């Protein structure tokens, strides 16, 4: 990979976390092993037509059995932290009741292996795999699911709290709520405008209750939530486009940031949703639970939204939009908005590459919200990587993407943003949700036929970068 001698070396704090991330359903496989129950993603991926090519996470990359080799690979790259998620139905096969010891044991082994290699475990409790029985009882639109989540969090903390100090309650509740219950492109595949709004509230309530449960067990635990935040732009300066951008920013960013960090829903978004719900599902005291102080905020950043007012809905990801206008939009009450591009290079997901947007998002959170330590818990890109004739996998576009976004992080830090770490998404190629195995985000290539792992050029570049920039940039 190219390296310019004259490039300014970005500076990072000496204790900056250099990590990579995965999620349980995307990598583990072993879907019926050691008493694991079914989750909504098992049901969804086994429903014809939901996932590209009929792919499922049944085997995924078999991380459940290969975790030892996988941790050794992390160590060889010099990672100082690894972000993974726990599968709720491994711990509670039906979402209720006592812990399934065999399921918890996998995470004990994984965490011990990480610690033995001096890699800090960053544990996410929920990366979208709700036990199917809880969905059958109403799913996230049912208030009881929040209480069930806090109980599950307690079980995991009781088993791992002595070894794990970094806890993330939810990954991207926007996706669980609005892709799962309103757009229907993620599990459980429901298309109900109000259900996404109510689900979002119960996810956030579950986050607050779980945070309190963990803190009551360990006052020193570092607990946070990860949100998928987007930089914003408008197609033109028209009032209509600006209002469209305000609406999308409201539902995507502020609808989660404001309750968690300020204890209130944004008034303009509540007004936009007037035809969707009257917020009768919000009870006294909920917002103070939801705004239980955080130790850290995780930011997942991939791209910028370029928004324009439109006659009819056009889907964000060019997929799952449905034929009937508003039904497939993940933005209830704001369906008449379209997403466009500005002609920048795109990734295999058709997302524009916009590293400056990451800096904007970090500065915005640091400026507009009460101070909280920030971590980039996901950032990365899909490209159609394939091995060359020599078996090597060269991915210069991913190197360029990561380099640009890490430099944006360093610039934000220089401006005073309290950013403490960066996790590349993803360590491995894996099950990319509704796109199945057709989109490769990994720094490490996986040959799904043999499960052979091959570090791509980007993995070697990241290892080298951690060495060069990882000691305060000296
Ligand atoms: C993250 O979501 C996830 O946390 C991670 O698991 C995922 O692998 C990664 O991004 C890369 O996508 O095409 O209509 O099915 C980021 C937000 C939301 C982006 C879902 C992809 C697909 C919607 N993602 N979206 S659709």
């Amino acid at each position: 990979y190219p390296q310019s001698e004259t490039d300014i070396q970005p500076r990072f704090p000496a204790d900056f976390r250099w990590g990579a991330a995965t999620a349980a359903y995307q990598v583990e496989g072993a879907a019926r092993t050691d008493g694991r129950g079914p989750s909504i993603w098992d049901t969804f991926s086994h429903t014809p037509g939901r996932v590209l090519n009929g792919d499922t996470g049944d085997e995924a990359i078999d991380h459940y059995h290969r975790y030892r080799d996988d941790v050794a690979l992390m160590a060889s790259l010099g990672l100082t932290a690894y972000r993974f998620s726990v599968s709720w139905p491994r711990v509670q096969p039906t979402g209720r009741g006592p812990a399934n010891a065999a399921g918890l044991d996998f995470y004990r082994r994984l965490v011990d292996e990480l610690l033995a290699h001096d890699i800090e475990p960053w544990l996410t409790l929920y990366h979208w795999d709700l036990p199917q029985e809880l969905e059958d009882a109403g799913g996230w639109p049912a208030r009881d699911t929040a209480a069930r989540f806090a109980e599950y969090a307690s079980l995991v903390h009781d088993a791992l709290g002595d070894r794990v100090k970094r806890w993330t309650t939810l990954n991207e509740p926007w996706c669980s709520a609005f892709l799962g219950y309103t757009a229907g492109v993620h599990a459980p595949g429901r298309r109900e405008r109000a259900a996404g709004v109510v689900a979002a509230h119960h996810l956030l309530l579950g986050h607050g209750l779980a945070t309190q449960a963990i803190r009551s067990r360990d006052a020193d635990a570092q607990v946070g939530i990860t949100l998928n935040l987007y930089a914003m732009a408008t197609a033109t300066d028209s009032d209509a486009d600006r209002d469209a951008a305000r609406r999308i920013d409201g539902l995507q960013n502020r609808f989660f940031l404001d309750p968690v960090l300020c204890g209130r829903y944004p008034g303009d978004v509540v007004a936009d949703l007037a035809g969707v719900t009257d917020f009768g599902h919000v009870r006294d005291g909920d917002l103070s639970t939801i705004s239980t102080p955080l130790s850290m905020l995780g930011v997942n950043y991939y791209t910028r939204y370029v928004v324009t007012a439109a006659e009819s809905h056009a889907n964000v990801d060019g997929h799952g939009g449905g034929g009937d206008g508003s039904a497939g939009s993940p933005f209830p009450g704001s369906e008449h908005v379209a997403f466009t591009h500005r002609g920048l290079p795109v990734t295999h997901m058709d997302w524009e590459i916009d590293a400056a947007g990451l800096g904007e998002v970090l500065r915005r959170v640091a400026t507009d919200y009460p101070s909280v330590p920030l971590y980039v818990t996901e950032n990365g890109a899909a490209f159609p990587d394939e091995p060359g004739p020599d078996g090597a996998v060269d991915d210069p576009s991913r190197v360029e993407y990561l380099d640009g976004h890490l430099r944006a992080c360093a610039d934000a830090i220089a401006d005073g943003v309290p950013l403490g770490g960066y996790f590349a998404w993803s360590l491995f190629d894996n099950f990319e949700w509704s796109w199945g195995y057709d989109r490769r985000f990994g720094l490490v290539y996986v040959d799904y036929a043999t499960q052979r792992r091959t570090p791509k050029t980007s993995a070697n570049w990241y290892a080298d970068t951690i060495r060069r920039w990882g000691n305060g940039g000296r």
Side-chain angles (χ1 to χ4, degrees):
Y1 43 87
Q3 216 148 85
S4 155
E5 296 295 323
T6 57
D7 265 358
I8 295 166
Q9 292 287 295
R11 299 183 69 87
F12 291 89
D15 65 348
F16 194 77
R17 271 30 176 219
W18 297 90
T22 65
Y25 190 69
Q26 297 183 269
V27 299
E28 286 179 359
R32 277 171 287 273
T33 304
D34 292 336
R36 178 186 177 281
S39 83
I40 55 175
W41 269 97
D42 295 292
T43 307
F44 191 78
S45 67
H46 281 271
T47 304
R50 295 301 209 167
V51 175
L52 189 61
N53 301 322
D55 290 342
T56 76
D58 287 1
E59 314 287 339
I61 65 167
D62 196 31
H63 177 66
Y64 192 83
H65 296 111
R66 295 167 193 264
Y67 73 94
R68 265 179 222 284
D69 289 347
D70 289 345
V71 172
L73 181 53
M74 295 172 209
S76 76
L77 297 178
L79 301 189
T80 64
Y82 173 56
R83 175 176 181 256
F84 63 97
S85 81
V86 171
S87 157
W88 186 348
R90 279 197 200 285
V91 174
Q92 287 181 302
T94 65
R96 303 168 199 277
N100 168 36
L104 271 176
D105 277 345
F106 167 67
Y107 299 104
R108 284 200 193 90
R109 295 193 297 275
L110 173 62
V111 164
D112 287 347
E113 195 70 16
L114 290 165
L115 293 173
H117 287 82
D118 226 5
I119 299 170
E120 186 179 33
W122 283 57
L123 185 155
T124 296
L125 285 161
Y126 187 72
H127 201 126
W128 310 351
D129 41 1
L130 185 72
Q132 181 62 43
E133 282 204 26
L134 292 186
E135 175 57 30
D136 296 342
W140 286 109
R143 187 177 173 94
D144 183 57
T145 303
R148 301 281 66 75
F149 179 65
E151 187 180 278
Y152 153 68
S154 303
L155 292 176
V156 179
H157 192 275
D158 287 344
L160 298 170
D162 59 338
R163 286 162 263 198
V164 175
K165 295 299 161 195
R166 296 286 185 164
W167 296 77
T168 298
T169 54
L170 306 175
N171 178 71
E172 302 186 349
W174 180 87
C175 293
S176 301
F178 293 115
L179 297 180
Y181 291 93
T182 295
V185 295
H186 278 191
R190 286 165 58 177
R191 288 195 172 187
E192 304 160 38
R193 288 164 89 223
V197 183
V198 180
H201 184 70
H202 295 147
L203 282 151
L204 291 175
L205 184 62
H207 153 74
L209 293 170
T211 302
Q212 294 176 354
I214 293 168
R215 287 265 174 69
S216 74
R217 285 167 165 73
D218 176 4
D220 295 331
Q222 301 285 300
V223 192
I225 187 171
T226 280
L227 303 177
N228 55 322
L229 303 180
Y230 289 75
M232 300 296 306
T234 55
T236 75
D237 244 359
S238 71
D239 287 349
D241 281 4
R242 277 143 71 131
D243 189 62
R246 177 195 61 73
R247 286 167 169 271
I248 300 309
D249 175 55
L251 276 166
Q252 180 74 55
N253 298 324
R254 291 181 288 116
F255 199 64
F256 296 86
L257 286 165
D258 286 18
V260 165
L261 296 172
C262 307
R264 57 172 164 70
Y265 279 112
D268 62 315
V269 181
V270 172
D272 292 342
L273 287 166
V276 177
T277 171
D278 63 3
F279 281 81
H281 54 280
V282 178
R283 296 193 191 162
D284 283 353
D286 283 1
L287 282 156
S288 78
T289 303
I290 288 170
S291 58
T292 301
L294 297 181
S295 324
M296 57 201 187
L297 177 72
V299 174
N300 290 357
Y301 175 83
Y302 289 90
T303 190
R304 182 191 304 271
Y305 281 156
V306 185
V307 169
T308 183
E311 287 297 306
S312 66
H313 160 68
N315 188 269
V316 189
D317 288 317
H319 178 74
D324 52 354
S326 68
S329 169
F331 296 103
S334 294
E335 289 86 359
H336 296 293
V337 167
F339 296 81
T340 88
H341 280 175
R342 293 173 304 166
L344 299 178
V346 297
T347 69
H348 198 191
M349 300 300 282
D350 203 31
W351 301 340
E352 285 194 329
I353 299 171
D354 192 333
L358 174 54
E360 281 177 35
V361 166
L362 294 171
R363 285 185 188 82
R364 179 218 188 151
V365 174
T367 305
D368 291 359
Y369 292 90
S371 178
V372 59
L374 303 178
Y375 293 87
V376 172
T377 40
E378 287 181 25
N379 174 243
F383 292 105
D385 310 304
E386 285 306 329
D390 57 352
V393 185
D394 192 28
D395 59 344
S397 301
R398 184 172 291 100
V399 170
E400 199 183 324
Y401 182 101
L402 297 172
D403 180 82
H405 287 74
L406 270 166
R407 288 174 187 276
C409 289
D411 289 347
I413 293 168
D415 288 350
V417 171
L419 179 67
Y422 174 94
F423 293 78
W425 183 271
S426 178
L427 181 57
F428 299 108
D429 292 338
N430 60 44
F431 177 79
E432 177 52 28
W433 307 114
S434 57
W435 297 95
Y437 299 100
D438 197 62
R439 296 289 184 277
R440 294 180 177 273
F441 275 90
L443 305 190
V444 176
Y445 182 86
V446 178
D447 174 28
Y448 295 113
T450 61
Q451 297 293 5
R452 212 176 107 93
R453 278 82 160 129
T454 304
K456 304 176 191 177
T457 300
S458 59
N460 299 324
W461 170 87
Y462 195 44
D464 201 43
T465 297
I466 294 170
R467 279 193 293 272
R468 288 186 297 125
W469 299 353
N471 184 22
R474 283 174 292 276

